[in-house]
C-alpha cells in the first residue's frame, strides 16, 4: 500500500504547496525538517504508539533494526497566513541514502485468528511516539492495579511528565499543535521515548519503511496524512 502522502516531498526542506483549509481558507504551506533527538534502540524492536496509552509490547513492528542510536526527524508544515504549524510526518533515520520506495511497516499481530495485517496505530491524545520494546516494557510495569482515582499511579505520573515536557518544545505560536519531547523512561535502560504532536490530532496513523535503490532500509516514517 502506498502512503497517504508524498513523503519524499514532505521531507524536503523548502517544499511549498497550497492547502484549502475548511473554515480557515487557502493557506500557503512551507515544509521544514528538524531533528528532535536520537531514539536509543536497545532491543531493536520499535513500537510506534500513543505515549499516553499503556504500551502493549506485543504490538511492535515486525521488522527490527540493529540496536543503536537513530536520529528522529519531524517534518513541520507552516501554514500562512494562519500561522499554524503541524507535523506532517515523523521519521526514524536509518541511513543517508535517498529513499526510492516505501513499504508498509506492519505491526506484529499476537492474535492468530486475526488475518488482516495493519500498519497503523491509534492516537487518542493527539500525540504519537517512537520507543523501543525495552522502554515499553518498563512503562507498562508502571501501571498499578491498586492505586485508584483521584490518586495517580506511576504510569499516570509519567504521562503528566510527557505532557509537561512537550509544552516546553514547540514549533509555531499555538500550543499543542507541533510539540515534541525526548524523554528517558528510567535509569534501568538507555532506551528513551520520543513523542510528537500527531498532525491534526486524534486518529489512526500509518507507518512505512523507506528503501534505497539497492533495496536497503533508509528510514521508518509515520505519516500524519495532513495532505492526502
Amino acid at each position: 500500500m502506498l502512503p497517504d502522502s508524498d513523503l519524499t516531498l514532505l521531507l524536503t526542506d523548502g517544499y511549498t504547496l497550497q492547502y484549502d483549509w475548511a473554515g480557515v481558507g487557502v493557506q500557503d504551506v512551507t515544509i521544514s525538517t528538524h531533528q528532535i533527538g536520537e531514539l536509543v534502540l536497545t532491543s531493536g524492536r520499535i513500537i510506534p504508539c500513543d505515549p499516553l496509552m499503556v504500551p502493549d509490547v506485543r504490538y511492535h513492528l515486525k521488522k527490527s533494526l540493529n540496536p543503536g542510536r537513530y536520529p528522529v526527524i519531524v517534518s513541520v508544515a507552516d501554514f500562512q497566513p494562519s500561522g499554524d504549524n503541524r507535523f506532517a510526518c515523523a521519521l526514524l533515520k536509518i541511513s543517508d541514502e535517498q529513499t526510492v520506495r516505501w513499504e508498509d511497516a506492519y505491526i506484529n499481530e499476537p492474535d492468530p485468528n486475526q488475518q488482516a495485517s495493519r500498519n497503523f496505530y491509534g492516537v487518542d491524545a493527539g500525540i504519537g511516539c517512537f520507543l523501543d520494546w525495552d522502554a515499553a516494557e518498563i512503562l507498562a510495569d508502571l501501571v498499578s492495579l491498586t492505586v485508584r482515582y483521584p490518586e495517580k499511579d506511576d504510569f499516570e505520573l509519567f504521562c503528566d511528565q510527557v505532557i509537561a515536557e512537550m509544552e516546553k518544545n514547540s514549533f509555531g505560536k499555538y500550543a499543542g499543535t507541533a510539540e515534541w519531547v525526548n524523554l528517558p523512561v528510567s535509569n534501568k535502560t538507555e532506551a528513551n521515548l520520543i513523542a510528537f504532536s500527531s498532525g491534526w490530532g486524534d486518529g489512526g496513523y500509518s507507518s512505512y519503511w523507506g528503501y534505497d535503490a539497492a533495496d536497503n532500509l533508509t528510514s521508518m516514517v509515520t505519516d500524519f496524512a495532513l495532505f492526502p
Side-chain angles (χ1 to χ4, degrees), residues 2-213:
L2 292 175
D4 290 328
S5 311
D6 189 328
L7 296 179
T8 301
L9 290 179
L10 293 183
L11 289 163
T12 302
D13 269 306
Y15 172 64
T16 61
L17 70 152
Q18 282 198 324
Y19 177 73
D20 192 357
W21 191 344
V24 179
V26 175
Q27 301 289 302
D28 293 315
V29 181
T30 302
I31 297 296
S32 60
T33 58
H34 307 266
Q35 182 174 329
I36 58 173
E38 289 184 320
L39 185 69
V40 181
L41 296 180
T42 51
S43 75
R45 286 175 285 181
I46 307 165
I47 300 180
C49 63
D50 182 332
L52 304 191
M53 299 174 66
V54 180
D56 189 329
V57 296
R58 298 175 299 170
Y59 293 98
H60 56 83
L61 295 184
K62 289 185 175 181
K63 193 185 300 294
S64 62
L65 301 178
N66 292 326
R69 307 178 73 93
Y70 296 84
V72 174
I73 296 168
V74 288
S75 168
V76 181
D78 176 47
F79 293 79
Q80 296 298 333
S82 72
D84 203 312
N85 281 260
R86 301 277 172 165
F87 290 146
C89 54
L91 174 145
L92 185 73
K93 184 177 179 179
I94 301 169
S95 85
D96 292 324
E97 297 299 317
Q98 182 179 359
T99 301
V100 299
R101 72 176 181 89
W102 301 97
E103 174 184 277
D104 292 284
Y106 286 120
I107 295 170
N108 180 62
E109 175 53 67
D111 183 357
N113 297 316
Q114 177 60 259
Q115 299 300 314
S117 296
R118 66 182 177 94
N119 70 335
F120 62 90
Y121 60 95
V123 168
D124 290 324
I127 307 172
C129 80
F130 299 152
L131 75 163
D132 185 85
W133 189 93
D134 289 335
E137 189 173 48
I138 289 172
L139 292 179
D141 287 342
L142 296 179
V143 176
S144 171
L145 299 179
T146 59
V147 176
R148 293 289 184 268
Y149 180 83
E151 296 182 0
K152 296 183 178 181
D153 65 14
D154 288 341
F155 180 73
E156 291 172 301
L157 292 174
F158 179 81
C159 291
D160 289 346
Q161 184 183 6
V162 170
I163 294 170
E165 292 299 319
M166 286 189 70
E167 291 175 351
K168 300 176 183 178
N169 304 298
S170 181
F171 294 93
K173 62 182 181 180
Y174 297 120
T177 63
E179 297 178 345
W180 60 272
V181 68
N182 177 3
L183 201 62
V185 298
S186 81
N187 57 11
K188 297 179 182 179
T189 176
E190 292 185 357
N192 58 338
L193 173 150
I194 296 185
F196 27 75
S197 302
S198 54
W200 298 121
D202 296 346
Y205 298 108
S206 298
S207 298
Y208 302 90
W209 295 109
Y211 290 85
D212 63 19

